Amino acid sequence: VPIIYLGPSNEEKEVQAEVGMNLLDVAHENNIELEGACGGELACATCHLIFPQEIYDTLPEKVEEEDDMLDLAFELTETCVLFLLLW
């Protein structure tokens, strides 16, 4: 499936991903620089994303551990999710 990453200067990079892969791994495999300090172990919030409400509403419900980690995130909003949990 196609995934489009938006960089800090709003540049787009489209990559292909297999269904079931988490988006942090997809980014790293495509040389997109994103931090995931815990290596995908749900032990930090460095991989959090902020989504527009209309996209956030289509995502799976967050698990309690994700909300706990998001409490540590910089610039937290109601539509934040951890990147590593999205597939």
Side-chain angles (χ1 to χ4, degrees):
V1 296
I3 305 289
I4 298 173
Y5 291 89
L6 186 62
S9 300
N10 289 327
E11 70 276 7
E12 291 184 1
K13 181 172 183 179
E14 183 172 328
V15 300
Q16 292 296 313
E18 293 181 33
V19 173
M21 290 186 69
N22 75 54
L23 297 178
L24 183 61
D25 288 342
V26 172
H28 289 170
E29 288 181 8
N30 287 279
N31 298 316
I32 296 171
E33 190 173 326
L34 292 172
E35 188 170 356
C38 70
E41 297 297 321
L42 196 57
C44 70
T46 59
C47 69
H48 79 282
L49 296 176
I50 301 170
F51 284 95
Q53 187 69 51
E54 63 273 10
I55 294 174
Y56 177 82
D57 290 342
T58 68
L59 299 175
E61 189 172 327
K62 288 187 264 186
V63 296
E64 184 177 344
E65 295 86 359
E66 181 178 10
D67 270 335
D68 291 344
M69 284 295 105
L70 284 169
D71 286 341
L72 306 172
F74 180 69
E75 297 183 358
L76 181 66
T77 73
E78 290 295 318
T79 62
C80 282
V81 298
L82 294 180
F83 208 61
L84 70 99
L85 294 179
L86 294 177
W87 350 85

